[in-house]
Amino acid sequence: MHFEDYFARTFQSVKEINNVKPLKTVILTGSSSQACLGDLCTTRPGATPPSSSSHSQPDFAKGDMQLSRSQIDEIVASALLQQSKDTVALRDFALGARHLPELTTACPSSLSARQQYFIRLASRLSSFNLESLIGKVPSMALTDKVGENFCWEFPGSYGHLGIVLKERISVHQVSIDHLPRELGSDTGIRQAPRKVILWGKVQGEHNVALAQLYRQRLGSYRTGHIPLKPRGLQGGSDLYVPLVEFEYKLGGSSKPHIQTSSVPPYLRTLNMDFEIVVLEILSNYGAPSTCLHRVRVHGSPVKSLAVYSHVNRQSRQ
């Protein structure tokens, strides 16, 4: 294989795996003694390298970089490694968390309540997640498994999932994962959540006072009715605040299968912290049931916030 063919095929494989448009163009000419990837050029084996200036080091500003085949392989391997990493790159405080049945939509199961109880008990006492034996249960949306059968499925298009986070945090973002279109059936894709709201359950006097201030700020940014809590949790005296409202969008390759939305700035500045959140799913894409493959909750732990506040107080004194 000619060197320029090897270079072109190698770069093409990276393009296909990354599924993105290249920032630079590969320039390969039969008459030239060099093959270039954007500003990076390499001398064809057996060819005479172009004349260089008096210094022996390559001039990176001018793109005068000599690459061997092993260096190209290293660049490709690095690109593949980067692509294989989690593209969200944010800590997920819902991963491996516990769901709250009393704040979660009840789903029918072929197992009796007694059988479900013992399976959940065995799951908590062991290092294995045995709840999948019950079916597509809520805890499956709090794992990092990928596949059409790994989701929390509930009938219809409305449901809510109560989550006890791994730590008390100030919530910054929420991410929703669904199957990539290439991996799911048409029905499986249409089971994706569409409009969702992430709610924070307000606990503690300090947070209650901040929640009242938040509602005042929210009223100045929005018009119309401001909901007090998830539609399916209207009973009781618990106080909730809507942290993030967004729409998960299907769009084939034009939309990523993991989509992240941020808490608005007027809420972030309050530094409220939450241990319990509720993901409310308002609609899907027309399927008779909905599958939530994964929900991620991102933010800053309370300990970090306490240190930050202490440093700020010290700096103001």
Side-chain angles (χ1 to χ4, degrees), residues 115-126 130-131:
Q115 289 172 319
Q116 294 182 43
Y117 169 79
F118 281 111
I119 289 177
R120 290 193 176 99
L121 179 62
S123 182
R124 292 183 183 181
L125 295 178
S126 69
L130 303 176
E131 292 194 25

Side-chain angles (χ1 to χ4, degrees), residues 118-170:
F118 281 111
I119 289 177
R120 290 193 176 99
L121 179 62
S123 182
R124 292 183 183 181
L125 295 178
S126 69
S127 58
F128 302 99
N129 184 2
L130 303 176
E131 292 194 25
S132 59
L133 298 175
I134 302 175
K136 296 179 179 179
V137 294
S139 61
M140 298 184 77
L142 306 176
T143 70
D144 56 1
K145 296 182 182 296
V146 178
E148 192 158 11
N149 293 321
F150 288 100
C151 71
W152 171 46
E153 183 177 7
F154 56 88
S157 59
Y158 178 85
H160 45 86
L161 173 63
I163 306 168
V164 182
L165 300 174
K166 299 294 285 186
E167 295 183 42
R168 179 178 288 273
I169 66 171
S170 172

